Amino acid sequence: MAAATALLVVGAPAVVASAGPSATAASRPDRVEWAGSWATAVTRGNSVGLTNTGLNDQSVRMIVHVSVGGPALRVRLSNLYGEQAVKVGRATVARPNTATPDDLSDIDAASVRPLTFTGAASATMNRGAELLSDPLAFPVADDSDLVLTVHFPTPTGPTTFHGQSQQANFIGAGDLTGATGGAGFTTRPTCCWFFLSGIDVQRRGSPGALVVLSDSIGDGNGSTVNANRRWPDLLSDRLLADRPDKHTPGVLNLSLAGNRLNHEGTEPGDGNYPGYYQLGPNAAARLNEDVFGQTGVRTVVTHLGINDIWMSNDSPDAIIATLRQINQQLQQRGLTSLVATLTPYEGHGAPGVWTPQKEATRQAVNAYLRGSREFDGLLDFDRVLRDPARPSQLLPAYDSGDHIHPNDAGNQALADAVPLRLLDL
């Protein structure tokens, strides 16, 4: 995406703890149950290009980095934004071939397993529907990569996809679901998970999952591609290290680059930003799919609003009102609701993207969040990333170069700043 593309918000050091979930919501330590380990927010295909024309007798090989493991898994495919039913020919899951690290599309031949859907090797995703695979006995390690390959034998039409994967994925002609090498995958975008929305694993006594509802900051823009250096990934690493007893929550990154609280992705923005479907619907409209529909969600971090400022010049009141509404809906469903302050972005984009008036809006939103007691906790990401000498700018050591997205060190600082006691998992 362009320089002034998908700019999001993120949070920082937490200040207030919540009462936590009720005892009845707590998981029994002896019970085996499904837990969300990986998920992504999906959107409609854009109006031009591959995501619009779709796939036809092609296979897509996608790499995902799960947070927690277990002895079995199940996969969720999604045709939520499709314009027609989509045929899934065959699908497999495998582990990457670590002996060929320079070719990420190679898989370990001994690990390849077919996925089935209600006992069948192929299935049809109805328009607007999800498709859940059958449970598969496939041991998954914590903090590991999985490779999903799906063949679409007939034209799909516009895809349901996630556009900012920060991960290379692969497309090739025909059925390549069993191909262990990557030679047949001739299209290799460093973007895009297609028709894939989640992976659950079986765990004993799972404490549930944490959902990160953010924009390009949570989505990892500015972090190293293929390295899993998004701050939610790094937070998952902290949780795994902190809980050697394996009573570890999944971390589900439902961030969506360019997403706004109060505007649709296709709405244009300042700095000649055209808008795209892949920026998604307004954040409140995402809750049913991206939060409430996740497996075992217990806690949500909301870090949104910066795009409403730089793209749409929204008022503090408009931003705060939607953050409060999201918080109320989360708490009404018994979820722990954490919110993060909006991080600096002076120097980003064309003239008019940052202005003193927009900076005043950011400061007003952050002042409200710091003083509010409505949320169950605050992550003050602004304090983590800002330059003390120039608080309207990112600290140079944390700046990826576009003056809005943190680099790997900045993502690590965000992950390190989250007090684990606030997560209530």
Side-chain angles (χ1 to χ4, degrees):
M1 299 175 91
T5 281
L7 317 165
L8 294 41
V9 319
V10 140
V15 237
V16 198
S18 78
S22 67
T24 57
S27 185
R28 282 173 37 196
D30 60 337
R31 184 169 62 190
V32 175
E33 54 197 327
W34 290 104
S37 181
W38 178 89
T40 194
V42 294
T43 65
R44 184 198 185 281
N46 288 314
S47 55
V48 296
L50 172 63
T51 62
N52 183 64
T53 57
L55 304 161
N56 182 12
D57 191 21
Q58 291 172 291
S59 295
V60 181
R61 178 159 287 176
M62 297 169 285
I63 301 170
V64 299
H65 188 74
V66 301
S67 55
V68 294
L73 61 75
R74 64 187 183 189
V75 174
R76 290 198 313 277
L77 302 178
S78 177
N79 190 28
L80 182 65
Y81 292 96
E83 296 182 356
Q84 63 187 55
V86 171
K87 176 81 169 180
V88 175
R90 287 207 315 150
T92 59
V93 62
R95 299 184 184 90
N97 185 349
T98 56
T100 58
D102 292 335
D103 194 340
L104 300 173
S105 61
D106 290 357
I107 56 178
D108 176 7
S111 70
V112 181
R113 296 290 184 275
L115 294 174
T116 58
F117 306 92
T118 322
S122 63
T124 296
M125 289 189 285
N126 290 341
R127 178 179 177 176
E130 286 192 334
L131 180 66
L132 183 66
S133 80
D134 299 328
L136 176 66
F138 187 96
V140 178
D142 294 339
D143 191 31
S144 65
D145 289 341
L146 294 176
V147 184
L148 283 297
T149 310
V150 185
H151 177 227
F152 298 95
T154 57
T156 65
T159 64
T160 293
F161 83 118
H162 182 92
Q164 194 64 41
S165 63
Q166 290 297 101
Q167 172 67 59
N169 292 296
F170 309 91
I171 302 171
D175 183 354
L176 300 174
T177 53
T180 57
F185 294 95
T186 54
T187 302
R188 301 184 167 212
T190 55
C191 77
C192 310
W193 290 300
F194 292 96
F195 297 105
L196 177 64
S197 61
I199 296 176
D200 299 335
V201 296
Q202 276 189 342
R203 292 176 68 74
R204 185 176 297 278
S206 171
L210 163 72
V211 164
V212 175
L213 186 70
S214 182
D215 43 29
S216 57
I217 293 178
D219 222 359
N221 291 37
S223 66
T224 300
V225 175
N226 298 329
N228 303 306
R229 301 294 295 173
R230 313 165 193 86
W231 76 261
D233 293 318
L234 300 171
L235 176 60
S236 177
D237 293 343
R238 279 191 66 206
L239 286 165
L240 288 166
D242 183 68
R243 304 186 181 198
D245 60 353
K246 302 297 183 184
H247 195 66
T248 313
V251 176
L252 306 179
N253 189 352
L254 278 300
S255 301
L256 197 56
N259 197 232
R260 285 172 274 183
L261 290 165
N262 297 318
H263 302 274
E264 303 308 298
T266 51
E267 291 183 42
D270 289 348
N272 297 315
Y273 194 74
Y276 303 95
Y277 279 115
Q278 75 181 65
L279 309 187
N282 70 83
R286 295 173 54 201
L287 294 180
N288 282 341
E289 176 70 18
D290 291 345
V291 178
F292 306 138
Q294 300 304 316
T295 304
V297 58
R298 297 273 297 282
T299 298
V300 180
V301 175
T302 302
H303 189 200
L304 289 160
I306 202 68
N307 293 330
D308 296 83
I309 295 175
W310 83 259
M311 286 185 187
S312 306
N313 199 21
D314 276 6
S315 69
D317 287 347
I319 293 168
I320 290 167
T322 304
L323 288 173
R324 294 181 68 194
Q325 177 59 212
I326 289 173
N327 176 63
Q328 289 179 19
Q329 292 195 39
L330 297 177
Q331 291 179 335
Q332 186 269 331
R333 287 167 172 81
L335 303 178
T336 297
S337 173
L338 309 180
V339 70
T341 53
L342 310 187
T343 49
Y345 77 98
E346 182 183 358
H348 175 76
V353 167
W354 184 92
T355 66
Q357 182 266 328
K358 290 180 178 180
E359 174 64 14
T361 296
R362 187 180 74 89
Q363 295 291 352
V365 172
N366 285 348
Y368 170 79
L369 294 177
R370 291 182 179 119
S372 173
R373 291 297 178 265
E374 296 178 50
F375 301 87
D376 294 311
L378 174 73
L379 307 180
D380 200 343
F381 283 0
D382 172 48
R383 289 182 180 169
V384 172
L385 293 186
R386 73 191 183 195
D387 185 346
R390 190 74 180 266
S392 59
Q393 298 179 355
L394 291 177
L395 187 71
Y398 293 158
D399 191 345
S400 67
D402 66 5
H403 310 305
I404 189 167
H405 297 108
N407 57 16
D408 290 355
N411 277 279
Q412 186 68 65
L414 292 176
D416 289 345
V418 178
L420 301 187
R421 64 183 174 81
L422 287 185
L423 302 185
D424 288 317
L425 293 165

